[in-house]
Amino acid sequence: QVQLVESGGGLVQAGGSLRLSCAASGNIFSINVMGWYRQAPGKRRELVALITSGGSTDYADFVKGRFTISRDNAKNTVYLQMNSLKPEDTAIYYCNVGATVGLRYIGNIWGQGTQVTVSS
């Protein structure tokens, strides 16, 4: 069983920066892909960034050049460095992982989310 805990959200002015963290704990054998998604009021949840176990990354077009995803495999933790934040980045940000827990693969594990609010 895996628990994901996000942290680092908060209130920031436009142009500022935040660093989100997501720590996975539990009976984890391995973690494959880790990712960040976000959901703004009145909108559907959307992919922000992904990172594989080997370090390959992929980003949504609306964050390229501003956000950086990284991971620390020894700590089972994924990070999202967010720079040059815009008001339209305001959303709840969710961590998502696929992991082998005990003897079972679980392909879609979600955290509770952390609120990011960017003021104009």
Side-chain angles (χ1 to χ4, degrees):
Q1 190 166 328
V2 175
Q3 181 181 16
L4 303 180
V5 179
E6 299 104 330
S7 62
L11 176 64
V12 65
Q13 292 184 226
S17 298
L18 287 172
R19 179 175 160 94
L20 306 184
S21 299
C22 174
S25 62
N27 188 24
I28 301 170
F29 182 79
S30 63
I31 297 176
N32 189 11
V33 176
M34 307 183 80
W36 288 96
Y37 293 72
R38 71 186 189 186
Q39 187 167 18
K43 295 188 176 181
R44 301 180 68 85
R45 191 171 299 185
E46 61 186 352
L47 174 69
V48 177
L50 294 172
I51 185 166
T52 70
S53 60
S56 297
T57 59
D58 194 20
Y59 297 91
D61 287 341
F62 54 80
V63 302
K64 286 182 178 177
R66 299 190 296 124
F67 293 7
T68 302
I69 189 171
S70 61
R71 64 191 285 172
D72 185 333
N73 291 331
K75 297 181 179 179
N76 287 330
T77 299
V78 61
Y79 307 93
L80 186 68
Q81 178 67 47
M82 304 185 293
N83 299 323
S84 301
L85 283 162
K86 305 174 181 179
E88 52 262 44
D89 294 320
T90 296
I92 300 174
Y93 285 70
Y94 297 91
C95 180
N96 177 266
V97 307
T100 299
V101 183
L103 298 177
R104 185 173 71 177
Y105 176 72
I106 303 175
N108 225 1
I109 304 171
W110 292 94
Q112 291 292 101
T114 185
Q115 177 70 48
V116 172
T117 303
V118 184
S119 62
S120 59

